[in-house]
């Protein structure tokens, strides 16, 4: 299978496809770079490669690495214009194959070891952490990256958990208790007062980045291998026993401290707001930095849609939920999570085979590991194209009974990031949820009671449809 | 020149002329801009009372238009010595 081993190969391919702009004039790390990436996301413009960063000669920024479906199609080896359902098919095909164990390579072959800073030389401010948005609590070095940790019982985890530079040797960030790293940290290290080794990977190759923010039960090292079709190449850290992708741009090694918390936030978040409160958060103390020559720092700028967090998390959350529902034998026709909903709305297509199917879908979805990240499930039947917003909205506004069709789940797991929650609800990560059941009840008489959808495809006999389609241009219309 | 800024939920967190211990960000231009320092300090709503300028931001990053001033009495280390 075709894939990009590092961002350098990917950048070259984007450039060849006309989807990259090289910015050679000086760009300020203090908001200007962030503003460029934000505008790029809002306009779906080509990814920027900023080659001249103020105060940081030799460094570059690669912004909005995966903020469009065209880029996602490319990194999965597909034609850039592949429709979303086909990209989904490819993702499902690759991630349903056997997991592929990683391969460890020698340090001498690992580009991420080209430069090594240890001891007194370690200073996070030697890296061009951008001030992504005006008003952020600090410089977020880690917005498109992942954190490697190792659970003594479960094994290695890669997770994309944002990190802000606090001082020369310290970063802070939110690690939610329901996240994989959260379970290891709060469940196994903090109770024993032990520091937890971590390694942050900045500028990972695109498929490893996707693996790190996908909510899959398969270990991310093997999940990345599934996506690539061959083992991801890892190399051992300098100061601990963790392994990191050898072709990444920058690696930050250190320990998560069990007994200190420091301020983090506010930050422009994936919902399109600065919501989660400034709080005392997890502390990452840094011992070592390794990096490639002329390192390229990745920047994702979260805000109003569409950035890669929204796009990829919607994509993988939807498809992992699809796998879960299918594994339970529920007759679904597909799942689509709408990126513009900032992965808050899950649209599920079903065969309306039995009463209560929508409730079954919603209970499973909200009750799953994925549940904290969304709060609306819309269930439609197979007459609705789940990828077509207009059809979905039409179903919600015409088939969902305002009393019987809406089920509110008052208690659920949420995150502090939901803009509509009260301060108290955010503090405790409470997550109320809602189901919109857009299925006509099966106990209605289908001949006399159930409304009939009035569309070209549903209310004309096949021969009339074929006749009209056959004559369309003859009538004077253009075929689209 | 403004040297530091601070995030507060309310201005009451900055009592006039009283000693407080708070995290501030160093705004000195250069690569270390926005690095955090934990300081024992005196603050004032009068921008000229103390030697350093102090900008104020609220909980979601909004700037409070009027600068305060601050006198740093001590830089405090919050990371336990065993990790330094
Ligand atoms: C750009 C970006 C930033 C994220 N930041 C955080 C974060 O700070 N904390 C967190 O728990 N999850 C964060 N997430 C979500 C996790 O990456 C996501 O839940 C991932 O699947 C890791 O899940 P796991 O901990 O369940 O393995 C972020 C996702 C993206 C795309």
């Amino acid at each position: 299978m075709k894939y990009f081993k590092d961002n350098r190969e990917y950048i070259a391919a984007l450039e060849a496809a006309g989807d990259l702009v090289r910015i050679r004039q000086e760009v300020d790390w203090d908001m200007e770079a962030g503003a460029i990436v934000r505008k790029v996301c809002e306009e779906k413009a080509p990814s920027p490669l900023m080659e001249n960063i103020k105060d940081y000669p030799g460094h570059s920024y690669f912004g909005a690495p995966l903020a469009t479906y065209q880029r996602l199609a490319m990194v999965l080896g597909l034609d850039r214009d592949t429709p979303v359902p086909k990209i989904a098919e490819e993702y499902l095909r690759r991630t349903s194959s056997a997991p592929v164990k990683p391969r460890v390579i020698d340090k001498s072959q690992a580009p991420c070891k080209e430069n090594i800073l240890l001891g007194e030389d370690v200073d996070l401010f030697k890296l061009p952490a951008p001030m992504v948005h005006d008003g952020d609590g600090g410089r977020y070095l880690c917005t498109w990256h992942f954190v490697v940790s190792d659970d003594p019982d479960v094994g290695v985890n890669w997770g994309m958990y944002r990190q802000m530079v606090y001082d020369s040797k310290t970063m802070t960030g939110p690690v939610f208790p329901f996240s994989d790293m959260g379970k290891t940290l709060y469940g196994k290290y903090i109770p024993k007062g032990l520091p937890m080794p971590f390694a942050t990977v900045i500028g990972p190759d695109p498929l490893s980045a996707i693996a790190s923010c996908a909510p899959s039960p398969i270990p991310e090292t093997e999940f990345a291998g599934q996506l690539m079709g061959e083992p991801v190449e890892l190399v051992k850290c300098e100061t601990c026993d963790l392994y990191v992708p050898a072709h990444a741009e920058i690696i930050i090694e250190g320990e998560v401290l069990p007994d200190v918390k420091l301020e983090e936030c506010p930050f422009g978040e994936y919902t399109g707001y600065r919501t989660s409160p400034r709080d005392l958060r997890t502390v990452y103390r840094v011992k070592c930095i390794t990096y490639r020559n002329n390192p390229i720092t990745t920047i994702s700028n979260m805000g109003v849609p569409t950035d890669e967090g929204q796009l990829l998390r919607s994509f993988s959350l939807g498809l992992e939920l699809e796998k879960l529902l299918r594994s339970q034998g529920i007759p679904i026709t597909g799942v689509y999570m709408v990126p513009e909903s900032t992965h808050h709305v899950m649209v599920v297509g079903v065969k309306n085979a039995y009463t209560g199917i929508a409730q079954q879908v919603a209970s499973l979805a909200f009750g799953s590991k994925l549940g904290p990240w969304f709060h609306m499930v819309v269930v439609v039947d197979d007459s609705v194209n789940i990828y077509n917003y207009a059809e979905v909205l039409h179903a919600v506004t015409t088939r969902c009974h305002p009393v019987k069709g809406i089920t509110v789940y008052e208690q659920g797991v949420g995150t502090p990031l939901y803009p509509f929650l009260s301060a108290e609800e955010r503090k405790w990560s409470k997550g109320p949820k809602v189901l919109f059941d857009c299925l006509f009840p099966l106990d209605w008489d289908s001949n006399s009671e159930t409304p009939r959808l009035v569309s070209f495809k549903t209310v004309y006999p096949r021969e009339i449809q074929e006749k009209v389609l056959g004559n369309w241009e003859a009538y004077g219309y253009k075929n689209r | 020149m403004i040297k530091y800024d601070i995030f507060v939920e309310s201005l009451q967190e900055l009592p006039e002329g009283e000693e407080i211990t708070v995290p501030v960000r160093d705004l000195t231009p250069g690569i270390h801009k926005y690095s955090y320092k934990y300081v024992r300090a005196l603050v004032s709503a009068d921008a000229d009372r103390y030697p350093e300028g102090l900008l104020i931001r609220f909980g979601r990053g909004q700037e409070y238009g009027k600068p305060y001033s601050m006198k740093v009495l001590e830089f405090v280390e919050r990371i336990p010595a065993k990790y330094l």
Side-chain angles (χ1 to χ4, degrees):
Chain A
M1 282 188 284
K2 198 178 142 208
Y3 76 97
F4 302 110
K5 206 163 202 152
D6 61 16
N7 277 333
R8 298 176 189 220
E9 285 183 12
Y10 176 42
I11 285 167
L14 280 175
E15 190 162 33
D19 198 11
L20 183 103
V21 170
R22 267 178 206 273
I23 302 178
R24 296 200 169 89
Q25 73 186 69
E26 185 181 85
V27 171
D28 198 334
W29 55 264
D30 193 354
M31 291 191 287
E32 185 184 355
I36 293 171
V37 182
R38 182 94 293 280
K39 193 158 163 62
V40 161
C41 288
E42 292 178 19
E43 294 186 0
K44 298 193 179 4
S47 295
L49 182 69
M50 302 173 227
E51 297 182 314
N52 182 357
I53 306 171
K54 185 177 171 208
D55 299 330
Y56 292 96
H59 286 261
S60 307
Y61 286 140
F62 175 33
L66 274 161
T68 62
Y69 281 120
Q70 282 95 333
R71 281 171 223 158
L72 177 56
M74 265 177 91
V75 301
L76 287 170
L78 301 171
D79 191 72
R80 283 170 54 80
D81 295 323
T82 307
V84 181
K86 291 280 172 213
I87 308 176
E89 251 173 51
E90 180 64 12
Y91 175 93
L92 287 172
R93 190 182 70 74
R94 291 192 186 203
T95 61
S96 305
S97 61
V100 182
K101 293 234 182 281
R103 174 166 57 223
V104 174
I105 66 167
D106 188 71
K107 183 173 164 178
S108 61
Q109 306 298 310
C112 71
K113 302 285 190 184
E114 283 166 351
N115 302 274
I116 299 178
L117 302 180
L118 284 159
E120 285 306 299
D121 290 335
V122 171
D123 180 354
L124 289 164
F125 290 101
K126 289 180 179 169
L127 302 173
M131 175 55 74
V132 179
H133 319 90
D134 182 28
D136 284 351
R139 293 168 64 176
Y140 280 77
L141 178 58
C142 309
T143 58
W144 196 250
H145 70 297
F146 56 84
V147 184
V148 182
S149 59
D150 192 5
D151 183 291
D153 308 309
V154 182
V156 171
N157 180 60
W158 292 358
M160 199 173 277
Y161 313 115
R162 75 183 187 216
Q163 291 165 306
M164 181 190 97
V165 178
Y166 190 87
D167 63 26
S168 291
K169 287 191 165 51
T170 314
M171 300 188 291
T172 55
V175 177
F176 299 126
F178 53 77
S179 68
D180 285 349
M181 191 170 103
K183 285 178 227 155
T184 306
L185 178 65
Y186 302 117
K188 300 184 184 167
Y189 281 87
I190 289 181
K192 293 183 187 149
L194 291 175
M196 185 184 85
F198 80 92
T200 295
V201 178
I202 299 172
D205 69 84
L207 293 181
S208 292
I210 292 177
S212 76
C213 64
S216 164
I218 301 167
E220 288 82 1
T221 45
E222 299 177 31
F223 190 81
Q226 276 183 323
L227 287 170
M228 293 170 179
E230 58 180 87
V232 59
E233 290 185 340
L234 304 181
V235 65
K236 191 162 183 280
C237 283
E238 297 299 302
T239 57
C240 62
D241 290 334
L242 296 172
Y243 288 81
V244 290
H247 304 275
E249 296 289 329
I250 300 171
I251 308 293
I252 299 175
E253 302 177 14
E255 289 176 337
V256 178
L257 305 188
D259 43 4
V260 197
K261 289 202 161 194
L262 293 173
E263 292 76 18
E264 190 257 358
C265 226
F267 185 54
E269 292 167 343
Y270 76 85
T271 58
Y273 300 87
R274 265 203 283 262
T275 300
S276 63
R278 187 168 162 79
D279 208 346
L280 293 171
R281 299 242 159 82
T282 299
V283 174
Y284 301 83
R285 188 75 181 168
V286 177
K287 290 181 167 175
C288 173
I289 300 174
T290 79
Y291 58 96
R292 293 177 70 149
N293 294 334
N294 301 113
I296 305 170
T297 299
T298 28
I299 306 181
S300 176
N301 182 324
M302 287 176 272
V304 298
T306 309
D307 58 61
E308 39 276 298
Q310 292 149 350
L311 189 111
L312 281 175
R313 295 269 295 144
S314 298
F315 184 76
S316 57
L317 275 167
L319 295 177
E320 292 300 329
L321 189 78
E322 177 165 342
K323 286 185 197 166
L324 173 73
L325 294 170
R326 286 195 195 282
S327 77
Q328 302 289 308
I330 299 173
I332 59 164
T333 54
V335 178
Y336 184 54
M337 195 164 229
V338 185
E340 287 79 2
S341 76
T342 73
H343 62 69
H344 285 169
V345 177
M346 183 88 77
V347 182
V348 183
V350 298
K351 294 239 176 265
N352 193 2
Y354 47 85
T355 296
I357 190 168
Q359 296 287 350
Q360 193 183 25
V361 165
S363 315
L364 260 168
F366 293 144
S368 72
K369 179 178 187 296
L370 293 54
W373 295 104
F374 57 92
H375 67 286
M376 290 184 180
V377 167
V378 173
V379 178
V380 295
D381 70 21
D382 54 357
S383 67
V384 178
N385 175 358
I386 58 171
Y387 292 98
N388 183 320
Y389 303 175
E391 283 189 31
V392 172
L393 186 62
H394 178 247
V396 171
T397 56
T398 56
R399 302 190 204 181
C400 181
H401 189 290
V403 177
K404 295 179 217 159
I406 297 178
T407 307
V408 173
Y409 299 76
E410 288 192 18
Q411 315 288 340
V413 185
T415 76
L417 278 63
Y418 282 106
F420 56 82
L421 291 180
S422 69
E424 182 65 11
E425 287 171 310
R426 282 184 214 144
K427 183 171 163 201
W428 294 101
S429 285
K430 292 185 177 175
K433 315 218 176 254
V434 59
L435 160 69
F436 297 93
D437 179 349
C438 307
L439 304 173
F440 285 129
L442 289 175
D443 55 7
W444 287 2
D445 185 319
S446 63
N447 290 321
S448 60
E449 226 177 340
T450 306
R452 182 98 193 271
L453 186 67
V454 181
S455 75
F456 178 76
K457 278 194 189 142
T458 57
V459 291
Y460 298 100
R462 179 181 294 258
E463 56 282 12
I464 296 290
Q465 287 188 40
E466 282 169 3
K467 183 176 178 194
V468 169
L469 290 176
N471 282 311
W472 198 239
E473 287 194 24
Y475 298 145
Y477 291 99
K478 282 202 172 76
N479 268 323
R480 284 195 289 162
Chain B
M1 207 192 73
I2 302 291
K3 175 89 167 75
Y4 295 104
D5 74 355
I6 186 166
F7 286 85
V8 295
E9 291 298 322
S10 132
L11 294 176
Q12 287 169 358
E13 293 169 35
L14 303 173
E16 181 73 30
E18 282 179 35
E19 210 177 284
I20 53 173
T21 309
V22 285
V24 294
R25 295 189 308 183
D26 189 337
L27 302 182
T28 309
I31 66 164
H32 290 90
K33 187 175 176 191
Y34 299 116
S35 118
Y36 274 83
K37 306 243 157 74
Y38 200 53
V39 294
R40 193 160 60 78
L42 300 169
V43 293
S44 171
D46 175 353
D48 299 321
R49 179 164 174 196
Y50 294 125
E52 314 285 10
L54 178 71
L55 279 184
I56 293 161
R57 287 185 184 267
F58 291 112
R60 299 295 177 279
Q62 321 87 296
E63 249 181 284
Y64 175 62
K66 211 172 129 326
Y68 273 42
S69 64
M70 177 169 82
K71 180 175 177 163
V72 176
L73 304 173
E74 185 191 1
F75 291 100
V76 182
E77 180 57 73
R78 280 202 289 175
I79 303 282
K82 60 185 171 179
Y83 301 121
L84 296 175

